[in-house]
Amino acid sequence: MVKKLILCVLMCMSLGVIASARDIKLSSPDGSLTLIAGVDGGQAWYEVKRGSEAVINRSQLGFVLSDGDLKGNFKMGKVTRTSLDELWSQPWGEDAVVHNHYNEMRVRLHERGGMKRYIDVVFRAFDDGVALRYEFPRQQGLQDFVIVDEVTQFALPSDAYAWSIPALTPYYEGIYTREPVSKKGNMSAPVALEVNDSLYMAVMEANLTDYSTMNLAHEGTTLKTDLVPWQNGDRVRVGDTRVSPWRVVIIGRKAADILLSRMALNLNDPCQIEDTSWLKPTKYVGIWWALQKQKWTWSQGDRHGATTEHTKRYIDFAARHGLGGVLVEGWNYGWDTDWTRHGDGFSFTRAYPDYDLEGLCQYAAERGVRIIAHNETGGAAQNYEDQLEDAYRLYERLGINTVKTGYVNSHFYNGELQHSQWGVRHFRKVIETAARHHLMIVNHEGAMPSGLQRTWPNLIATESMRGQEYNAFDRGGGNPPYHECILPFTRGLGGAMDFTPGIFEYRNDSVPGTRPQNTLAHQLAEYVVIYSPGHMAADLIENYEHQPAFKFIEDVPTNWERTVVPHASMGEYVTYARQERGTRNWYIGSVTDAHERDLTLSLDFLGDGAYHAIIYEDGPDADYRDNPYAMTIRRLDVDKTSVIRLHLAPGGGCAIQILANPE
Ligand code: NOJ
Ligand code: CA
């Protein structure tokens, strides 16, 4: 059970303060941020300041509804306030304990005429940002209703540089690029913003529940919510769920502050899984990269990947190297046609004849390994829902504890977009059904994560980004060298990423020239830089044999006690240092873009006493373009006064294991 440690809960309710004639203020607990809200000429607005510096200029709030707008005709009603200062712990994550500390202000907005409806806007000010959401109390004139447009604005103080991908990029599998906001088209959230040398921000949503996903449009430098529609143009159909997701602005003085913000988690509801002891994410290998490289096939035939024989080899390898899972793709009926158009043909219970489903689960269990079932739907989500109970009951009986889902199709078969409210509901149904059957979910092609892992920690990872797989099949050469230097600031803010690191062999016979655009040391560093509680060792197992660098993958944990970020610059380089959950050991990952870097790393985060470091670094001539494998492994005795110099090659990286000497 997730243990909730309450430090102190301050409830200071001051009910019924009428503030319609004046602006009202909400300060962050440390007083550094101030959110001011008001209503002018019927239009509700908010703005945010850091000291006297404008962070968000006056920005509008409200909705266009199918039966009468909820904007532009408000007067302010009662304002109530509360605060919370709590520590809560999570079964897995970047930190064992999370600090949730905010001041809250709830503002009632009444329609001045018409149907005389009212809504609440709830604002929260944290030390590292602000958030707001709408609540829709049931009332006459506001029963079930349709949101045609949400008009929440985020008016930036200047034409900040934005890191983003275009809105509606299929599966969010796009390359993040940096341009001034005014030059961008519509964007997917999260958007990372470089405003000036001491102001970095990210705009995103948290707790996406029964609502459609938030993209961002803009006029000049004012961002505005642009919700993904249903087919008929409705954006959200409000029924039983009477709150919107949180609209979140993370605010930091350094780029690293954005990475350390836990607002997205804090704005989600506490864990709904009472007994979390069965959540055991683990590193895994799989019948997967050979499919991406077209060596094997998902479909039946001579090159079928998911055979009993291949799977046994992968299970044996996992057992030998202490990896707990084997992902198997292409084991079930449905792959022999164009499955992206005929996903209705997928069975999630019937195995192909050359795949001994029950026998392999048994074989794996005897070796301390679990099979990870793969459920590709081809977008036929209803077909999946129809089989969900039967499939999950079967998996639970067989000892399978993780399912990787997939939705290769931008539209579901009923015509709805993946990131629409229909899709959000579908993905949640899968997660909740899985929890009842003690199954963890790795969701590929899902809706943009929004911190849901706090509530449903059986959602162990999501893709929703351009993963390593593009380094196999992309026609443009693969992900750019800076890709992992920007992912943590954008997609990573929403939750764990199934990026699938660890490619050791860059040769590509099926798409020549396409390969990881980074070095082997960079591949190792990804295990620390990119957070997932269940990382894959993605390459073919034969490519790991007799490779000294594989020792790092064997050893690196996926659950952390504490995370610090010694270096960070959006899209250029980033260094994470993470303490292993429950031990004194630390692991460090540092990655750079196409430019080489020399970084100075102080180990002042270590505890007292002596440590031993094993450093996996780019060799002297390493370069992602022509010498990606050059790597040096060196050892060093260190303590918390030590300073290590890191040299990262172009496209390079560094991975360090720091083991505490026995006391
Ligand atoms: C796309 C997923 O991202 C990938 O991991 C999977 O192998 C294919 N779909 C097939 O389901
Ligand atoms: Ca994908």
Side-chain angles (χ1 to χ4, degrees), residues 219-531:
E219 263 178 42
T221 57
T222 297
L223 305 175
K224 178 200 150 290
T225 45
D226 180 25
L227 304 178
V228 176
W230 291 72
Q231 288 174 83
N232 72 345
D234 293 356
R235 306 283 183 136
V236 183
R237 297 175 186 167
V238 178
D240 291 343
T241 307
R242 308 299 295 191
V243 294
S244 75
W246 289 96
R247 279 50 184 109
V248 185
V249 184
I250 303 174
I251 300 163
R253 289 194 180 275
K254 304 188 299 301
D257 297 343
I258 305 299
L259 302 177
L260 291 169
S261 172
R262 301 293 176 246
M263 280 178 71
L265 290 176
N266 282 327
L267 289 162
N268 274 267
D269 297 333
C271 184
Q272 292 288 307
I273 301 175
E274 203 161 315
D275 173 11
T276 57
S277 61
W278 58 273
L279 293 171
K280 293 207 168 62
T282 180
K283 284 170 287 183
Y284 65 100
V285 285
I287 294 181
W288 185 75
W289 192 240
L291 302 165
Q292 312 302 324
K293 296 273 274 269
Q294 299 172 36
K295 180 180 173 216
W296 289 344
T297 60
W298 285 274
S299 55
Q300 300 187 85
D302 292 351
R303 292 188 296 123
H304 186 213
T307 65
T308 300
E309 186 207 327
H310 291 157
T311 308
K312 280 190 173 164
R313 271 211 297 124
Y314 271 74
I315 294 170
D316 292 343
F317 179 89
R320 250 194 339 271
H321 295 278
L323 308 174
V326 173
L327 165 69
V328 186
E329 298 204 359
W331 64 274
N332 55 320
Y333 275 95
W335 295 93
D336 301 318
T337 56
D338 177 359
W339 49 270
T340 61
R341 294 175 52 226
H342 303 287
D344 277 332
F346 276 118
S347 162
F348 302 103
T349 50
R350 284 180 57 234
Y352 279 141
D354 55 352
Y355 185 78
D356 177 6
L357 176 62
E358 299 225 2
L360 284 166
C361 288
Q362 178 71 27
Y363 186 87
E366 285 159 5
R367 287 155 184 79
V369 173
R370 303 274 201 142
I371 297 288
I372 300 176
H374 180 232
N375 288 176
E376 173 60 56
T377 65
Q382 192 57 55
N383 175 50
Y384 191 36
E385 288 194 16
D386 293 346
Q387 298 182 49
L388 215 47
E389 277 295 340
D390 287 349
Y392 285 5
R393 201 174 313 112
L394 171 70
Y395 302 158
E396 190 176 19
R397 178 172 71 71
L398 294 177
I400 289 170
N401 68 352
T402 309
V403 180
K404 171 179 168 182
T405 56
Y407 299 84
V408 180
N409 207 320
S410 290
H411 289 76
F412 296 111
Y413 280 31
N414 59 9
E416 303 301 345
L417 282 164
Q418 274 195 348
H419 308 150
S420 63
Q421 186 179 17
W422 195 91
V424 169
R425 284 177 180 164
H426 168 78
F427 295 126
R428 183 66 63 88
K429 181 173 185 174
V430 170
I431 294 162
E432 295 187 10
T433 308
R436 275 195 281 107
H437 290 282
H438 302 101
L439 292 168
M440 294 176 276
I441 293 291
V442 175
N443 184 182
H444 273 228
E445 296 92 33
M448 180 55 72
S450 62
L452 189 64
Q453 70 206 43
R454 178 181 182 189
T455 314
W456 293 104
N458 66 316
L459 173 64
I460 53 169
T462 308
E463 187 188 38
S464 298
M465 72 185 144
R466 221 171 185 262
Q468 177 101 268
E469 62 189 31
Y470 280 77
N471 297 332
F473 57 63
D474 179 36
R475 298 278 151 189
N479 296 326
Y482 68 84
H483 193 52
E484 296 84 32
C485 303
I486 192 58
L487 279 181
F489 294 98
T490 48
R491 156 67 184 83
L493 298 175
M497 294 186 267
D498 193 43
F499 184 76
T500 66
I503 296 305
F504 278 31
E505 168 59 60
Y506 289 15
R507 203 180 124 176
N508 192 338
D509 295 331
S510 53
V511 189
T514 289
R515 63 169 177 82
Q517 301 294 332
N518 50 45
T519 65
L520 182 55
H522 184 119
Q523 286 284 324
L524 294 187
E526 287 170 1
Y527 284 88
V528 184
V529 168
I530 292 176
Y531 179 63

Side-chain angles (χ1 to χ4, degrees), residues 46-49 53-59 130 153-157 201 203 249 251:
Y46 75 101
E47 62 188 35
V48 182
K49 289 189 185 309
E53 181 187 11
V55 174
I56 297 286
N57 287 333
R58 193 169 281 212
S59 299
V130 298
Q153 293 180 337
F154 309 88
L156 303 177
M201 302 202 284
V203 178
V249 184
I251 300 163

Side-chain angles (χ1 to χ4, degrees), residues 36-52:
I36 306 151
V39 176
D40 255 355
Q43 177 60 57
W45 56 267
Y46 75 101
E47 62 188 35
V48 182
K49 289 189 185 309
R50 186 172 65 180
S52 58

Side-chain angles (χ1 to χ4, degrees), residues 37-316:
V39 176
D40 255 355
Q43 177 60 57
W45 56 267
Y46 75 101
E47 62 188 35
V48 182
K49 289 189 185 309
R50 186 172 65 180
S52 58
E53 181 187 11
V55 174
I56 297 286
N57 287 333
R58 193 169 281 212
S59 299
Q60 297 185 1
L61 301 162
F63 294 92
V64 176
L65 305 186
S66 60
D67 53 354
D69 296 355
L70 268 173
K71 76 181 187 74
N73 193 24
F74 286 126
K75 64 179 185 210
M76 195 182 287
K78 69 180 177 185
V79 177
T80 57
R81 293 172 186 273
T82 182
S83 303
L84 182 69
D85 185 352
E86 67 165 357
L87 295 175
W88 56 275
S89 60
Q90 44 185 356
W92 53 264
E94 298 183 81
D95 306 290
V97 175
V98 179
H99 192 190
N100 187 14
H101 193 191
Y102 61 79
N103 292 328
E104 179 182 297
M105 172 170 87
R106 173 185 294 268
V107 179
R108 180 146 289 187
L109 297 175
H110 291 276
E111 273 186 310
R112 291 190 298 194
M115 288 185 262
K116 300 236 171 183
R117 297 165 298 183
Y118 57 90
I119 58 171
D120 287 345
V121 187
V122 183
F123 298 97
R124 284 187 186 168
F126 298 77
D127 293 339
D128 53 352
V130 298
L132 66 94
R133 81 165 170 197
Y134 302 92
E135 293 194 13
F136 313 106
R138 263 196 196 277
Q139 62 205 265
Q140 212 182 352
L142 203 63
Q143 300 291 339
D144 292 358
F145 63 98
V146 171
I147 296 174
V148 176
D149 196 15
E150 178 187 325
V151 294
T152 309
Q153 293 180 337
F154 309 88
L156 303 177
S158 61
D159 198 3
Y161 280 102
W163 283 97
S164 64
I165 53 172
L168 299 178
T169 300
Y171 329 121
Y172 304 107
E173 293 180 2
I175 296 174
Y176 285 87
T177 59
R178 178 183 188 266
E179 287 98 27
V181 165
S182 62
K183 302 240 159 27
K184 291 273 186 182
N186 290 3
M187 302 171 266
S188 282
V191 171
L193 296 159
E194 299 174 76
V195 186
N196 60 46
D197 286 351
S198 62
L199 181 56
Y200 296 86
M201 302 202 284
V203 178
M204 63 180 295
E205 65 181 327
N207 196 345
L208 173 59
T209 301
D210 196 8
Y211 207 83
S212 74
T213 312
M214 179 178 82
N215 291 324
L216 292 164
H218 66 92
E219 263 178 42
T221 57
T222 297
L223 305 175
K224 178 200 150 290
T225 45
D226 180 25
L227 304 178
V228 176
W230 291 72
Q231 288 174 83
N232 72 345
D234 293 356
R235 306 283 183 136
V236 183
R237 297 175 186 167
V238 178
D240 291 343
T241 307
R242 308 299 295 191
V243 294
S244 75
W246 289 96
R247 279 50 184 109
V248 185
V249 184
I250 303 174
I251 300 163
R253 289 194 180 275
K254 304 188 299 301
D257 297 343
I258 305 299
L259 302 177
L260 291 169
S261 172
R262 301 293 176 246
M263 280 178 71
L265 290 176
N266 282 327
L267 289 162
N268 274 267
D269 297 333
C271 184
Q272 292 288 307
I273 301 175
E274 203 161 315
D275 173 11
T276 57
S277 61
W278 58 273
L279 293 171
K280 293 207 168 62
T282 180
K283 284 170 287 183
Y284 65 100
V285 285
I287 294 181
W288 185 75
W289 192 240
L291 302 165
Q292 312 302 324
K293 296 273 274 269
Q294 299 172 36
K295 180 180 173 216
W296 289 344
T297 60
W298 285 274
S299 55
Q300 300 187 85
D302 292 351
R303 292 188 296 123
H304 186 213
T307 65
T308 300
E309 186 207 327
H310 291 157
T311 308
K312 280 190 173 164
R313 271 211 297 124
Y314 271 74
I315 294 170
D316 292 343

